[in-house]
């Protein structure tokens, strides 16, 4: 039986030691941690609904055109699409394309020739994150054709980390259900995070490439939706919501 290398064991510990909190930046933080620790530089983090459909992707270095095309119709031919992988994920948490089809079948598929080739992608590995028998989300990591394929050590690391992320993702989904928080737009959630960190209006404007007047308008909306009178109260509320 192949053992996990010392280097990869230490990478897993490093990944788990990073403070990835179940707030609105959770999935983005997870993808960046994978990139920093394991070098997985192309990735998606999807949620999965009750009918095993992918939804609400967060991406890292994936072509926006590729994502738009995939969401509109390419998902139907995706070999690692959740509805196809569901039986396999009952026994394991990590799958590669060649776990389902041969290399020849993959290279002759519509998914490869009409989609992956167009954007230069070739290797893909999918990770199921679930609680009990319920699929909560899915991670997908890709590599270009001229890069090394994923190997057994990658799979072993991802199997372990999937179990670690299960509890984190469950908490994140509960966090997203907080009534007050769900009233906020994506932009308002970003501002709330910056307010929590003590950023000024000018700093927020520069980070989001918007005007300070727009920041003020978003803040007024936050005051109203979260029922607070001023920035101090908003900061306190942010700490409660984003803890």
């Amino acid at each position: 039986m192949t053992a996990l290398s010392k280097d990869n064991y230490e990478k897993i510990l490093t990944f788990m030691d990073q403070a990835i909190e179940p707030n609105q930046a959770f999935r983005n933080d997870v993808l960046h941690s994978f990139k920093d620790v394991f070098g997985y530089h192309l990735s998606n983090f999807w949620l999965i609904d009750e009918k095993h459909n992918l939804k609400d992707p967060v991406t890292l270095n994936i072509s926006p055109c590729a994502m738009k095309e995939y969401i509109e119709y390419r998902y139907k031919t995706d070999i690692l699409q959740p509805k196809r992988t569901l039986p396999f994920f009952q026994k394991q948490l990590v799958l590669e394309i060649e776990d389902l089809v041969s290399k020849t079948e993959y290279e002759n598929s519509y998914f490869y020739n009409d989609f992956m080739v167009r954007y230069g992608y070739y290797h893909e590995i999918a990770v199921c994150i679930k609680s009990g028998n319920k699929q909560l989300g899915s991670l997908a990591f890709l590599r270009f054709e001229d890069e090394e394929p994923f190997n057994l050590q990658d799979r072993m690391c991802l199997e372990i980390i999937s179990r670690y992320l299960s509890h984190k993702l469950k908490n994140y989904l509960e966090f997203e259900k907080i009534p007050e928080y769900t009233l906020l737009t994506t932009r308002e959630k970003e501002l709330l995070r910056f307010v929590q960190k003590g950023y000024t209006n000018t700093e927020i404007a520069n980070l989001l490439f918007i005007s300070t007047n727009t920041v003020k308008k978003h803040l007024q909306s936050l005051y109203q939706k979260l029922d607070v009178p001023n920035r101090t109260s908003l900061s306190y509320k942010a700490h409660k919501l984003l803890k």
Side-chain angles (χ1 to χ4, degrees):
M1 181 176 178
T2 303
L4 191 66
S5 70
K6 180 181 177 181
D7 179 56
N8 280 320
Y9 177 75
E10 290 175 350
K11 285 181 180 179
I12 291 172
L13 292 180
T14 300
F15 183 94
M16 291 181 176
D17 282 342
Q18 295 188 2
I20 303 175
E21 299 300 326
N23 53 46
Q24 86 267 22
F26 166 71
R27 290 189 288 153
N28 186 62
D29 289 346
V30 167
L31 296 184
H32 277 88
S33 290
F34 271 117
K35 177 179 179 293
D36 295 341
V37 178
F38 292 96
Y40 300 159
H41 64 105
L42 298 167
S43 55
N44 300 317
F45 195 156
W46 299 83
L47 298 180
I48 298 177
D49 66 21
E50 298 289 341
K51 296 182 179 179
H52 308 292
N53 295 308
L54 295 170
K55 67 175 186 177
D56 190 20
V58 172
T59 69
L60 179 65
N61 297 327
I62 299 295
S63 161
C65 292
M67 286 306 301
K68 182 175 185 295
E69 185 177 331
Y70 181 89
I71 291 169
E72 287 180 351
Y73 56 94
R74 292 298 181 195
Y75 72 92
K76 297 177 182 178
T77 60
D78 185 0
I79 296 166
L80 292 177
Q81 208 266 355
K83 289 184 178 179
R84 291 186 176 143
T85 56
L86 183 61
F88 298 89
F89 279 138
Q90 300 301 320
K91 299 180 180 179
Q92 61 195 82
L93 298 174
V94 180
L95 286 172
E96 294 181 75
I97 287 174
E98 289 182 27
D99 290 324
L100 279 72
V101 298
S102 69
K103 181 178 180 179
T104 299
E105 289 173 318
Y106 170 51
E107 293 182 345
N108 287 331
S109 69
Y110 287 114
F111 183 66
Y112 173 71
N113 288 288
D114 293 352
F115 180 68
M116 298 290 271
V117 169
R118 180 177 302 179
Y119 298 100
Y121 307 140
Y122 186 87
H123 310 287
E124 183 178 7
I125 192 167
V127 182
C128 175
I129 303 174
K130 61 183 182 178
S131 177
N133 291 322
K134 182 180 180 181
Q135 285 185 303
L136 302 178
S138 177
L139 287 158
F141 300 102
L142 296 98
R143 285 178 175 163
F144 298 120
E145 189 167 6
D146 60 356
E147 293 182 286
E148 288 292 319
F150 296 99
N151 57 40
L152 182 56
Q153 290 286 313
D154 290 309
R155 295 177 70 124
M156 293 170 70
C157 290
L158 292 170
E159 281 274 352
I160 294 169
I161 292 175
S162 173
R163 290 167 171 80
Y164 165 76
L165 289 176
S166 174
H167 178 68
K168 294 275 190 179
L169 181 56
K170 186 176 180 180
N171 286 346
Y172 165 78
L173 293 173
E174 290 300 318
F175 172 81
E176 287 286 292
K177 290 179 183 177
I178 297 173
E180 289 177 317
Y181 191 74
T182 56
L183 293 173
L184 306 183
T185 65
T186 300
R187 182 65 86 191
E188 288 167 348
K189 291 176 182 178
E190 289 178 317
L191 259 78
L192 191 63
R193 168 58 61 187
F194 289 130
V195 169
Q196 183 202 26
K197 293 181 177 179
Y199 285 64
T200 66
N201 287 358
T202 301
E203 288 172 330
I204 295 172
N206 290 336
L207 286 165
L208 298 179
F209 302 102
I210 58 178
S211 69
T212 53
N213 283 336
T214 301
V215 171
K216 291 176 182 177
K217 289 179 182 178
H218 284 308
L219 287 174
Q220 289 299 321
S221 178
L222 284 168
Y223 295 159
Q224 182 178 1
K225 290 182 179 180
L226 297 180
D227 192 27
V228 294
N230 52 45
R231 194 187 192 97
T232 301
S233 298
L234 180 63
S235 180
Y236 175 75
K237 195 68 168 270
H239 280 285
K240 289 181 64 179
L241 290 174
L242 304 176
K243 64 182 179 179

